[in-house]
Structures are given as structure tokens and as C-alpha cells.
Amino acid sequence: DGGITQSPKYLFRKEGQNVTLSCEQNLNHDAMYWYRQDPGQGLRLIYYSQIVNDFQKGDIAEGYSVSREKKESFPLTVTSAQKNPTAFYLCASSMMGNQPQHFGDGTRLSIL
Amino acid sequence: QQQVKQSPQSLIVQKGGISIINCAYENTAFDYFPWYQQFPGKGPALLIAIRPDVSEKKEGRFTISFNKSAKQFSLHIMDSQPGDSATYFCAANTGYSSASKIIFGSGTRLSIRP
């Protein structure tokens, strides 16, 4: 089945630690996205990528970094510079243009 | 201008009733309006979507009504069922040939009472 796989489902970060969230898609989509969702709020765009080796900042990129070395993969690193990282992180992908985004089932990040 | 305003924040409807969620936007460049449904612990899933050249789109019990002049659109869930209890997000985007950058509303938590 085609889809988006995010791992791990739950992740804990210690103070001063960087953590990386995995996102893999087998939908052959060109574009991939990372969102942050806080309780009772909508989705806020962190980074997005339209092609391999290229990515753009979204609305809340500070404290996060990404890479796009393969079309299928778009990992997100939450750095120690992100002072409030506790949230539900969602990865999505889409075809280019006005196409719907398909989401993974998220990673919930908490602080130890 | 990039915001999509969604209301209500939460909604309780009796089983069999009609659930109505409203959204408004300012950016007239938006040309694709999807609705997403999210269950707890899951990612959002596309429910239904509309483009501004039509005023209504229906898929089963779900209908989008679109008012281009008022820059408003709404989701109607007919014969609401307990399984419809979820958080619903309206959204808008304009991607043309580039990545589909979606602006999401803040969400409506819908509860259907049996």
C-alpha cells in the first residue's frame, strides 16, 4: 500500500539534545512537508521541499532543520535551539500544484 | 491575508442531526479549498475538496457550500453519526506549479452524541 510512514510514534528529548524524526513516502510525490500541531490548534508549516536537495522555510522554521537527499525521504531534526519542542509533528507529501496533501500518522515529541 | 478563520472551535450534535462548520478567508488568490478529518493520534485525512468555480460539492453525507463573493465556505455533515466524531480542519491554498502550500484553519472538534 502506498503511503507515508513516520517514525518513531513517540520520542523523548533531553535538554540540549538534537533529535531526528523520520518521514518516508512511497507515493512518488515530488513535494514533502513538515507541520507542527499543538493541542487545540491548527497545523503550522515548518519546512517544505519541492525537489531533492532543495527545501524552503515555512512559518516556524527556527530551531528546526531538514534534508532532502532522496525523493522518498524528508527527515526533520529538532535542534536544542527549539526551546518549546513538545508537540505532535506531522509529515505530508503531495504532487506539485494544487493537489491534496497526504499525511503520515505523526510523531509525538516530549521533553524529559 | 493568509489566514483561514474557522468556527466554531467545538461542536456537539445529536446523532442524526446536521453538523455545520464555517470558514472564511481573505486572500482571493486561494483556489483550492480542502477539508481534512483528523482522529486522535492520527494524521489528517482529506475528506472533500472544492474549487471556486462551483458553489457546492456533495460526497455522500458530506457537502461543501462555497460563497465566492463572501469569501466563505462551509462543511455540512448530514445524518451525523458517532463515527464522525473527530477534529475537522478547513484549508485553502494556491500552489499552481509549485508545492501545494496549504493554510489550515484552527480546527473544530466535533462530538456526535448517540
Side-chain angles (χ1 to χ4, degrees):
Chain A
D1 286 340
I4 299 177
T5 301
Q6 289 188 243
S7 62
K9 191 169 180 64
Y10 300 95
L11 188 58
F12 297 90
R13 195 191 88 169
K14 296 179 181 178
E15 293 290 337
Q17 186 182 44
N18 294 351
V19 291
T20 298
L21 285 60
S22 171
C23 178
E24 303 277 334
Q25 57 100 357
N26 61 2
L27 298 168
N28 199 33
H29 286 165
D30 291 304
M32 296 187 74
Y33 314 79
W34 274 105
Y35 292 91
R36 171 180 171 138
Q37 185 175 28
D38 292 286
Q41 296 190 30
L43 282 68
R44 292 185 290 169
L45 183 64
I46 304 172
Y47 269 99
Y48 67 101
S49 168
Q50 300 181 77
I51 57 172
V52 173
N53 293 323
D54 184 59
F55 46 83
Q56 308 294 328
K57 291 183 179 180
D59 301 317
I60 55 166
E62 187 174 349
Y64 301 97
S65 66
V66 293
S67 63
R68 186 90 185 274
E69 297 178 1
K70 298 186 301 182
K71 184 176 182 178
E72 302 79 16
S73 178
F74 191 40
L76 172 74
T77 296
V78 183
T79 74
S80 57
Q82 173 49 245
K83 298 306 179 186
N84 184 25
T86 298
F88 190 48
Y89 290 88
L90 288 158
C91 178
S93 70
S94 76
M95 300 295 287
M96 297 292 277
N98 267 345
Q99 300 296 325
Q101 292 185 11
H102 300 259
F103 285 83
D105 279 340
T107 292
R108 190 166 299 279
L109 176 62
S110 302
I111 297 299
L112 283 178
Chain B
Q1 257 228 332
Q2 283 293 94
Q3 279 189 325
V4 176
K5 295 183 179 180
Q6 183 172 348
S7 64
Q9 187 174 3
S10 62
L11 181 62
I12 300 174
V13 175
Q14 289 294 124
K15 179 183 175 181
I18 303 174
S19 304
I20 302 174
I21 303 170
N22 299 299
C23 288
Y25 65 97
E26 289 294 327
N27 188 350
T28 55
F30 288 144
D31 56 5
Y32 179 65
F33 300 88
W35 284 87
Y36 286 84
Q37 179 188 55
Q38 185 180 28
F39 293 104
K42 297 291 187 181
L46 179 68
L47 185 64
I48 186 173
I50 196 168
R51 299 191 188 273
D53 52 345
V54 297
S55 60
E56 185 175 282
K57 182 174 182 180
K58 183 176 181 179
E59 290 185 1
R61 295 184 295 108
F62 300 91
T63 300
I64 300 178
S65 298
F66 188 84
N67 186 330
K68 189 174 182 178
S69 61
K71 291 184 283 187
Q72 295 175 347
F73 58 110
S74 60
L75 176 69
H76 292 64
I77 306 175
M78 312 299 289
D79 187 26
S80 299
Q81 299 297 311
D84 297 330
S85 296
T87 298
Y88 292 81
F89 293 96
C90 63
N93 72 318
T94 173
Y96 299 106
S97 61
S98 65
S100 177
K101 289 185 65 180
I102 293 180
I103 309 298
F104 286 88
S106 56
T108 296
R109 180 172 288 186
L110 174 65
S111 296
I112 306 300
R113 285 188 171 161

